[in-house]
Amino acid sequence: MIKFEENHRPLILVTNDDGVEARGIRALREVAREFGNVVVVAPDSAQSGMSNAITVKVPLYLKKVHSEKGLYIFKTNGTPVDCVKLSLNSLLPRTPDLVLSGVNHGSNSSSSVHYSGTLGGAREGVMNEIPSVGFSLLDYSPDADFSAAIPFIRQVIQQVIQFGLPAGTFLNVNIPKGNILKGIKVVRQARGKWVEEFVEREDPRKQKYYWLTGFFQNLEPNAIDTDEYVLDQGFVSVVPCTLDITDHGAMEQLKAQSYEMSINGVV
Amino acid sequence: MIKFEENHRPLILVTNDDGVEARGIRALREVAREFGNVVVVAPDSAQSGMSNAITVKVPLYLKKVHSEKGLYIFKTNGTPVDCVKLSLNSLLPRTPDLVLSGVNHGSNSSSSVHYSGTLGGAREGVMNEIPSVGFSLLDYSPDADFSAAIPFIRQVIQQVIQFGLPAGTFLNVNIPKGNILKGIKVVRQARGKWVEEFVEREDPRKQKYYWLTGFFQNLEPNAIDTDEYVLDQGFVSVVPCTLDITDHGAMEQLKAQSYEMSINGVV
């Protein structure tokens, strides 16, 4: 189904959560093409907030929408994670050298990493032992301008191809809005949360319903080693993220609280 | 909307991803009632594999299905994360003392934690600074028998109420199938992955479609400090999980690779 002329080039899988037509994925795939053969497999509609979700209730379709030299584009009815799984198992001629997800229209810094379909796609890549990066621009507009972000995206891809990534680690790259970007900082995920409000309405059958809305709250605004802080300062943030979410520090504490106590009459 | 007679008791929010009718959530809510007033807010249908997904495309409905002394039950059309958000913001009379999710019908050990809607619900609890636990039984059957699990669920809840949990940490508790459980072990998440296969079929319109299937592969079967290992040995596994998924160890390594190099002409 997929065959590249220049077969020796790196194979790069590109996905996103805003859908195959989004400006962000177009920008990302064009940078990716500088480095290798590119296969885009992306949702046919927006899948924002889908996190690491997989589709188990309905079957997945995979449809080719375009191909040209060094590039294939497919769409699916699945989530970003589905796109990666389906590509690896049923589409690509070999394991890709890189999985790139994005560029998301909107921030995925701090705790947003947990809700992000963009980062779900990247996590699925590294789950399959492929170096993977999720990119997001801090601009939610469908018409967002990605041009200032491109040199930074290019640099991150170049670094990942050159050095690889530690096993089990993927990158969460967020890029400020605007034309004046100061550089790249490797930082940690800020502690933060979404403060939700629900808009309550009544439907024609007199049933109440709720729309999710809300705003992000940075819980450590003065921590200079965090993504939120450097983004505010105009830097691109690179957070290395781990598949192992064990809180290793808490293990001893829990053991000391006799969680491991045997149950009366059971042991 | 919600009012408890014995208002001094702890307030416990219970959710799951198998739906409000599942046997697992019935078992969990009954144990929870021993410790406090319980509000169940759960999906109206199965939301397995929904991870930390939130619903942004459709509005959420919230419907009371039952109430009795010390217990309210509601269902929504959302994900487990939606259930928690909606409860905290639009339903509960105050912040609950505990969020419990499950008991899931099927394992959420190792890397399954990333796909699990059950753990999504627990993560959302701790995101709101509430001690939170996800419970799963290693039995996928809708008719699974939760009776042997109950003393262990009770013990974990009792410990969490007594000691609390470290800030930003929630528990992933998995329970072996069967009647002979040996005790509880505090362990780390095993490295493992789902090896996927897709069943390929053709619909009446001659379009190919794919059903996701696959099996779990433990990548470190001899590591005795992991959830997979102790579950195989007949122990309940307790993995403390962190909201901060920064790979702190990788930060220095990435900095040394000059990720922070300035871009020509930009800085």
Side-chain angles (χ1 to χ4, degrees):
Chain A
M1 199 171 193
I2 287 183
K3 205 164 179 254
F4 289 107
E5 280 173 45
E6 298 178 51
N7 213 5
H8 61 282
R9 298 190 83 201
L11 178 61
I12 302 174
L13 175 64
V14 176
T15 191
N16 79 342
D17 75 353
D18 291 314
V20 69
E21 299 288 348
R23 288 178 70 120
I25 197 168
R26 290 165 184 260
L28 182 55
R29 85 173 187 229
E30 290 308 315
V31 184
R33 291 178 77 184
E34 300 171 15
F35 296 92
N37 294 318
V38 171
V39 180
V40 173
V41 182
D44 54 14
S45 63
Q47 296 275 345
S48 295
M50 285 306 277
S51 182
N52 230 70
I54 51 175
T55 301
V56 293
K57 289 193 208 169
V58 297
L60 297 174
Y61 286 83
L62 182 63
K63 196 166 206 163
K64 188 165 97 173
V65 291
H66 179 77
S67 70
E68 61 184 76
K69 193 178 174 214
L71 174 69
Y72 283 84
I73 303 177
F74 295 83
K75 63 181 181 181
T76 77
N77 56 325
T79 65
V81 170
D82 291 330
C83 289
V84 175
K85 284 186 187 290
L86 199 54
S87 301
L88 299 184
N89 287 280
S90 302
L91 180 64
L92 296 178
R94 65 177 180 85
T95 302
D97 302 289
L98 204 57
V99 173
L100 305 176
S101 187
V103 180
N104 192 60
H105 293 239
S107 170
N108 281 314
S109 57
S110 183
S111 56
S112 300
V113 68
H114 293 298
Y115 305 104
S116 161
T118 304
L119 274 298
R123 186 183 288 105
E124 188 60 29
V126 77
M127 199 88 90
N128 288 281
E129 293 152 80
I130 305 161
S132 300
V133 185
F135 293 96
S136 309
L137 181 74
L138 274 59
D139 187 341
Y140 290 88
S141 165
D143 298 322
D145 178 3
F146 291 85
S147 52
I150 283 172
F152 297 89
I153 295 168
R154 182 180 292 126
Q155 187 190 342
V156 171
I157 297 173
Q158 191 268 316
Q159 303 269 119
V160 172
I161 286 176
Q162 184 176 348
F163 298 111
L165 285 172
T169 297
F170 58 106
L171 299 184
N172 182 13
V173 178
N174 282 271
I175 304 162
K177 188 175 169 175
N179 290 317
I180 303 171
L181 302 176
K182 290 187 182 159
I184 299 180
K185 294 273 188 193
V186 178
V187 283
R188 66 177 174 86
Q189 170 192 327
R191 270 192 310 112
K193 64 174 181 175
W194 282 86
V195 180
E196 258 80 39
E197 294 184 337
F198 285 85
V199 177
E200 193 180 308
R201 299 209 175 134
E202 200 177 81
D203 73 15
R205 296 171 299 132
K206 303 284 177 206
Q207 302 233 320
K208 274 199 292 192
Y209 64 90
Y210 303 84
W211 284 107
L212 177 60
T213 176
F215 61 93
F216 176 76
Q217 186 181 14
N218 184 356
L219 295 173
E220 43 177 356
N222 299 317
I224 63 171
D225 59 341
T226 62
D227 51 3
E228 289 300 316
Y229 190 92
V230 304
L231 286 163
D232 274 354
Q233 301 286 317
F235 289 91
V236 172
S237 66
V238 173
V239 178
C241 299
T242 169
L243 286 184
D244 177 13
I245 63 166
T246 307
D247 185 341
H248 291 273
M251 284 177 64
E252 289 312 309
Q253 188 177 335
L254 291 183
K255 284 181 187 182
Q257 289 164 3
S258 61
Y259 269 81
E260 301 200 353
M261 184 172 72
S262 62
I263 306 292
N264 281 344
V266 174
V267 178
Chain B
M1 200 172 191
I2 287 183
K3 203 164 180 255
F4 290 108
E5 280 173 46
E6 299 177 51
N7 213 4
H8 61 283
R9 300 190 79 201
L11 178 61
I12 303 174
L13 175 63
V14 176
T15 191
N16 78 342
D17 74 353
D18 291 315
V20 69
E21 299 287 348
R23 289 178 69 120
I25 197 168
R26 289 164 184 261
L28 182 55
R29 83 174 187 227
E30 290 308 315
V31 184
R33 291 179 77 184
E34 300 171 15
F35 296 92
N37 294 320
V38 171
V39 180
V40 174
V41 182
D44 56 13
S45 63
Q47 295 275 348
S48 296
M50 285 307 276
S51 184
N52 229 70
I54 50 175
T55 300
V56 293
K57 288 192 209 171
V58 297
L60 297 175
Y61 285 83
L62 182 65
K63 196 166 206 165
K64 188 165 97 172
V65 291
H66 178 78
S67 70
E68 61 184 75
K69 192 177 175 218
L71 175 69
Y72 283 83
I73 303 177
F74 294 82
K75 64 181 182 182
T76 77
N77 56 326
T79 64
V81 170
D82 291 328
C83 290
V84 175
K85 284 185 187 291
L86 199 54
S87 302
L88 298 185
N89 289 282
S90 302
L91 179 64
L92 296 178
R94 63 177 180 86
T95 302
D97 301 289
L98 204 56
V99 174
L100 305 176
S101 187
V103 180
N104 191 59
H105 293 239
S107 170
N108 281 315
S109 57
S110 182
S111 55
S112 300
V113 69
H114 293 298
Y115 305 106
S116 164
T118 304
L119 274 299
R123 186 183 289 107
E124 188 60 29
V126 76
M127 199 89 88
N128 289 281
E129 293 152 81
I130 305 162
S132 302
V133 185
F135 292 97
S136 309
L137 181 73
L138 274 60
D139 186 340
Y140 290 88
S141 166
D143 299 322
D145 179 3
F146 291 85
S147 52
I150 284 172
F152 296 89
I153 295 168
R154 183 179 292 128
Q155 187 190 344
V156 170
I157 296 174
Q158 191 268 316
Q159 303 268 120
V160 171
I161 286 177
Q162 185 176 348
F163 297 110
L165 285 172
T169 296
F170 58 107
L171 299 184
N172 181 13
V173 177
N174 282 270
I175 304 164
K177 188 175 169 175
N179 291 317
I180 303 169
L181 301 177
K182 290 186 184 160
I184 298 180
K185 294 273 189 194
V186 178
V187 284
R188 67 177 173 86
Q189 170 191 329
R191 271 193 310 113
K193 64 174 181 175
W194 284 85
V195 180
E196 259 80 40
E197 293 183 339
F198 284 85
V199 177
E200 191 179 308
R201 299 208 177 137
E202 200 176 81
D203 73 16
R205 296 170 299 131
K206 304 285 178 203
Q207 301 233 321
K208 275 201 290 192
Y209 64 89
Y210 303 84
W211 283 107
L212 176 61
T213 176
F215 61 92
F216 176 77
Q217 187 181 12
N218 183 354
L219 295 172
E220 43 178 355
N222 300 317
I224 63 170
D225 60 341
T226 62
D227 51 2
E228 289 299 316
Y229 190 92
V230 303
L231 287 164
D232 275 352
Q233 301 285 317
F235 289 90
V236 172
S237 65
V238 174
V239 178
C241 298
T242 170
L243 285 184
D244 177 13
I245 63 167
T246 307
D247 185 342
H248 291 273
M251 284 177 64
E252 289 312 309
Q253 188 176 335
L254 290 183
K255 284 181 185 180
Q257 288 164 7
S258 59
Y259 269 82
E260 300 200 353
M261 187 170 70
S262 63
I263 305 292
N264 281 344
V266 174
V267 178

